[in-house]
Amino acid sequence: MSARTLDGKALGQRVLQALAPRIARLSQQGITVKLRVLRVGDDPASKVYVGAKLRACQAIGIDGGDIELPAQITPGAIFEQISMLNRDRSVHGILVQLPLPRGFDPHLIAMQLEPTKDVDGFHAVNLGRLLQGRARFIPCTAAGVIRLLDDAGVELRGQNAVVIGRSEIAGKPVALLLTERDATVTVCHSKTRDLAAYTRNADVLVVAAGRAGLIDGSMVKPGAAVIDVGVNRTDAGALVGDVDQVSVAMRAGFLTPVPGGVGPMTVAMLMENTVRAAELQCLDENVQ
Ligand code: NAP
């Protein structure tokens, strides 16, 4: 038996299409949704990711743009840029593309964002709200993981969920969201002993370690839903996840491909958060 592929590209397109009436409603009130991305330095992977975000903006009528800042910039000058965007009422969403060059503190930079414009959801206020179960902006990758599982009809309640990775952008928010959905969640990381003992017991396995080939079929429970968040480049230049797709597809019930799984969902969730930010700021709805 081969796992059902969870097609993030197709679902991402459907998410974008569903935003059209919301964008049109804002437009009828003279509001063009606007996102600004700050990119510090010239990390080539960041350029690719930002390009995908801006193309999605263009496809659905969001005014997307990036601001490139030199790697030698001072933190103070970044704060000033953010402060200008915070004050600009025509800008609804701001994000600072990660990773930042060495020496910059991403927490300190995220704290400069106006929380209602923080569409990545990394400001401490937004992460705190997530912890409280009343998120305003769910970090995009984590939101995409849950949306993929929901769209496939994967039961979460009472299921054993194992999350590999505990970063703030992927593992931790995924673990919080799965807990909120009544899964029994185990978080594994680089110090976990006998990883396979955990993964073999997982009905839902989310892998966000950034280690190609970390999970093979022998480590997966038959029928499990496996979400591969990892993005790694092989020596030959190919993009692969953390999961060995061939052996895992033979055992899992559901599996996301790389590319074409979580990646496009991350972009789609960013678009959803950006539209929500514009609604919160302009339509005076659901503001808490
Ligand atoms: P990160 O900050 O480097 O965190 C990696 C996590 O994996 C850490 O918690 C680390 O444990 C754990 N880990 C590393 N090696 C491990 C091992 N051998 N066994 C178990 N756990 C291990 O990375 P990240 O930002 O969360 O990203 C993770 C991966 O997802 C990367 O490949 C990244 O490119 C990808 N990603 C993809 C998307 C997307 O949209 N598709 C979005 C975000 C990230 P410790 O905490 O103990 O160090």
Side-chain angles (χ1 to χ4, degrees):
M1 204 191 77
S2 187
R4 181 176 144 198
T5 300
L6 300 183
D7 184 344
K9 209 168 164 188
L11 178 57
Q13 283 302 321
R14 278 191 274 134
V15 169
L16 295 185
Q17 280 159 16
L19 292 175
R22 293 168 62 181
I23 293 170
R25 180 165 168 236
L26 286 155
S27 170
Q28 277 156 16
Q29 304 203 21
I31 299 153
T32 302
V33 182
K34 192 163 168 178
L35 172 71
R36 286 296 173 263
V37 180
L38 288 180
R39 198 157 50 76
V40 186
D42 56 359
D43 177 52
S46 289
K47 260 190 199 163
V48 173
Y49 291 137
V50 171
K53 291 170 185 176
L54 298 184
R55 277 196 301 283
C57 285
Q58 200 178 16
I60 58 171
I62 292 179
D63 173 354
D66 64 338
I67 300 166
E68 190 180 342
L69 302 170
Q72 302 76 20
I73 196 169
T74 62
I78 298 180
F79 296 174
E80 184 46 41
Q81 276 286 342
I82 293 174
S83 165
M84 272 161 43
L85 294 169
N86 284 343
R87 289 193 306 267
D88 183 342
R89 291 172 62 91
S90 76
V91 174
H92 307 104
I94 309 168
L95 78 83
V96 180
Q97 184 65 36
L98 300 175
L100 290 162
R102 255 174 194 285
F104 290 97
D105 178 349
H107 290 128
L108 206 56
I109 289 181
M111 287 303 284
Q112 310 306 312
L113 296 167
E114 159 55 41
T116 57
K117 296 189 178 189
D118 167 35
V119 287
D120 256 344
F122 295 149
H123 189 288
V125 164
N126 286 321
L127 287 172
R129 293 179 66 112
L130 180 70
L131 187 72
Q132 292 170 339
R134 52 188 202 106
R136 183 159 43 197
F137 302 116
I138 298 174
C140 305
T141 299
V145 167
I146 301 296
R147 194 69 69 92
L148 277 161
L149 290 165
D150 281 345
D151 186 68
V154 173
E155 178 72 75
L156 298 177
R157 189 172 183 191
Q159 300 295 296
N160 287 335
V162 170
V163 180
I164 306 182
R166 53 179 169 179
S167 74
E168 272 165 41
I169 72 166
K172 276 183 191 165
V174 167
L176 279 174
L177 292 169
L178 289 168
T179 305
E180 207 171 290
R181 295 288 300 275
D182 296 329
T184 303
V185 182
T186 305
V187 178
C188 299
H189 44 75
S190 68
K191 311 296 181 293
T192 298
R193 275 178 274 150
D194 195 2
L195 190 63
Y198 295 94
T199 61
R200 282 193 195 113
N201 195 31
D203 304 301
V204 176
L205 176 60
V206 181
V207 192
R211 299 282 181 274
L214 181 66
I215 300 298
D216 66 27
S218 72
M219 300 168 77
V220 170
K221 182 175 176 179
V226 180
I227 306 290
D228 189 355
V229 180
V231 178
N232 311 287
R233 203 167 277 284
T234 64
D235 293 342
L239 279 189
V240 295
D242 292 349
V243 165
D244 173 46
Q245 289 275 327
V246 175
S247 62
V248 171
M250 306 273 281
R251 274 173 81 93
F254 302 87
L255 176 61
T256 54
V258 178
V262 175
M265 288 305 296
T266 298
V267 176
M269 294 296 109
L270 173 66
M271 297 301 113
E272 198 172 273
N273 279 352
T274 305
V275 171
R276 179 158 161 71
E279 290 169 344
L280 285 172
Q281 289 158 47
C282 304
L283 302 182
D284 210 24
E285 288 175 344
N286 308 316
V287 182
Q288 307 161 40

